[in-house]
Amino acid sequence: MAAFTLGREEPKPPANIEAEAALIGAILCENSIAAKLPPQLRAEHFFEPLHGRIFTHALNQIDRGGVASPVSLKPLFADDEAMEAVGGVGYLAQLTASSAGIIGARDFADQIIDFAARRELISWHAEQGNALRDYGRPIEDISPPETVSRSSISATPYNWREPTELPPRQWLLGRWLLRGTVACVIAPGGVGKTTFLTSAALSLVTGRQLLGKPVWGGQKRVWIWNLEDDGDELARAIQAAAKHHGIAPADLTGLYVDSGLEGRTLCTATIRDGQFHLFEPVFRQLARELKRREIDALFLDPFVSSHEVDENDNARVDRIAKAWARVARDANCSIVLVHHASKNGSSEVTAQSSRGASALVNAARSALVVNRMDETEAQRLGIMADDRRRYIRVQDDKANRAPAEAADWFRLVSVDLENGEPGDSVGVVEPWSLPDPFDDVSVDDLRNVQERLAGGEWRENHQASEWVGNLVAEVLEVDISASPGKAKVRAIVDQWIRSGALRIEERRDSKRKPRKYVVVGEHTPHCSTVNK
């Protein structure tokens, strides 16, 4: 039976052509408005297809760093039939006649998106009605399309997936850099952060383990964007590392370098008239260039110089950090944001030591902290006080994509560029292992100590004149008048006690005071247990 309308007109689909025209006119008048629009706004949301095409071309012009105006868009619509239907390309100038869109651009954009969703639902309901009249079709087959059903909140049942069939995480450098995510590097000034990052970048580009970390999948393409050093200084660091590691020019074809001090500035967000502006077109341009160059890792140093927002503003820094995360995901690369450590905390740098808002570290998937060797570590390891500044350790203080690893140690070495008189000596980092106090100690040395230990009274206290370390130092010919030698002997004694080669015995001395003495263990351990 035919449907009756009882004289009523069919309702018009929800749309606001005037709002669409006003929004496009506002963009053509003031291109910066594009950065303030909801990121989900797309051409298909416009009811009038011509408006959608104008919107797309305008954004493309802005993303390329150009100007979107009636004049610049005119050639693109010279043969457009829909444009001819509204009077020709002069329609572009008509769109800019009103200032209403400039005042309410965000509201117009929200309404355009809302009306598009309503039209989609109306269309689905109409199709649903026709399907329900098809009595040969099971009602279970009638369900809303995926795009419509997603408009409401609903829980998704988990579908079992075989562990062996899950795609592995796409690590780039060790377990530090992961494709599609943001990583932070946090360090105090002057610790060798830029030197470390240069070697990390060259390790990726060459595919070699310059930092002792595997480069998964071979050579990578890397973009270094430094906003505080000039091109000459960046070149010194790169060439020094290349000279030290034997890297040839042909090995660096995948390296891209830009300096903010030489005009390659970057601003992703700012505050104007008290309002926060996130420059979405800038992030779109970044993603497009990363994909065009097939960049695997972008190093941005420092993060604070890439925006004009108070670094203590958590909410706004969070929006910037998440925009970077979207770029990393869209371009399928790792983005490394380098950040300074706070000067207010302790000398030990952690992920929470980052300066300003914590939102940046919270949004990152890994947070590499760089620390210089402190005085206590230097004494324990037998490193001279004047040399300790040459040693740094790096650790992921936020290992939420892999088990936490022990800190990696590196040593700064000086490389002479031989570029004149006087020439430049530039620091380069290389992997360094903690010194093993047993490197030159044998089982025979232990037996010698045990034999001499049995014939005397030797104390456990390193401040006592009869400290057992004096005996050990004499046998091993180690000078314990200096801190490094004494630290080595203490480490050897402690390890022999833990292994059972020596043991502690408590008894009273000649003055009847309880003391701890070191005596021979019950059994002389094998080499594998004595020195480990």
Side-chain angles (χ1 to χ4, degrees), residues 424-479:
D424 293 319
S425 292
V426 180
V428 175
V429 298
E430 62 180 14
W432 178 76
S433 299
L434 294 175
D436 187 346
F438 287 95
D439 281 343
D440 53 357
V441 179
S442 67
V443 175
D444 289 338
D445 292 324
L446 169 61
R447 288 173 179 159
N448 193 359
V449 169
Q450 288 177 320
E451 289 174 1
R452 296 183 59 178
L453 193 64
E457 297 283 314
W458 298 98
R459 296 269 300 278
E460 183 261 351
N461 188 341
H462 66 89
Q463 294 180 333
S465 59
E466 303 87 7
W467 176 46
V468 69
N470 294 325
L471 170 61
V472 174
E474 183 179 336
V475 171
L476 301 180
E477 299 181 351
V478 175
D479 180 10

Side-chain angles (χ1 to χ4, degrees), residues 122-292:
I122 290 171
S123 175
W124 171 76
H125 279 289
E127 294 174 0
Q128 186 90 323
N130 293 331
L132 289 171
R133 294 185 182 92
D134 183 357
Y135 301 115
R137 182 178 178 184
I139 195 168
E140 292 83 1
D141 293 347
I142 303 171
S143 60
E146 187 177 0
T147 54
V148 175
S149 61
R150 283 180 179 173
S151 63
S152 60
I153 297 176
S154 62
T156 303
Y158 178 72
N159 292 322
W160 177 265
R161 301 174 65 185
E162 288 299 327
T164 56
E165 297 177 0
L166 290 172
R169 295 187 181 117
Q170 299 182 56
W171 294 101
L172 297 177
L173 182 62
R175 291 294 188 271
W176 284 348
L177 304 185
L178 178 63
R179 194 181 292 279
T181 68
V182 168
C184 282
V185 174
I186 304 163
V191 76
K193 163 181 56 68
T194 301
T195 303
F196 166 72
L197 292 172
T198 299
S199 290
L202 296 193
S203 180
L204 286 166
V205 172
T206 61
R208 294 166 52 187
Q209 297 189 35
L210 304 183
L211 297 178
K213 296 289 184 181
V215 180
W216 304 105
Q219 292 178 271
K220 301 292 182 288
R221 300 169 74 86
V222 177
W223 184 3
I224 298 175
W225 199 340
N226 190 296
L227 301 174
E228 62 181 6
D229 291 326
D230 62 34
D232 287 343
E233 196 61 35
L234 295 175
R236 290 185 186 99
I238 292 170
Q239 296 305 143
K243 181 178 180 181
H244 181 70
H245 294 293
I247 297 172
D251 298 327
L252 299 184
T253 55
L255 180 64
Y256 300 84
V257 181
D258 285 292
S259 166
L261 296 188
E262 297 190 350
R264 302 293 290 175
T265 58
L266 177 66
C267 184
T268 59
T270 191
I271 303 293
R272 290 179 184 168
D273 301 324
Q275 297 296 316
F276 172 72
H277 300 284
L278 184 70
F279 297 143
E280 290 286 358
V282 172
F283 286 107
R284 287 196 291 268
Q285 290 178 49
L286 280 164
R288 187 177 64 242
E289 181 64 6
L290 289 166
K291 288 187 283 188
R292 184 177 78 88

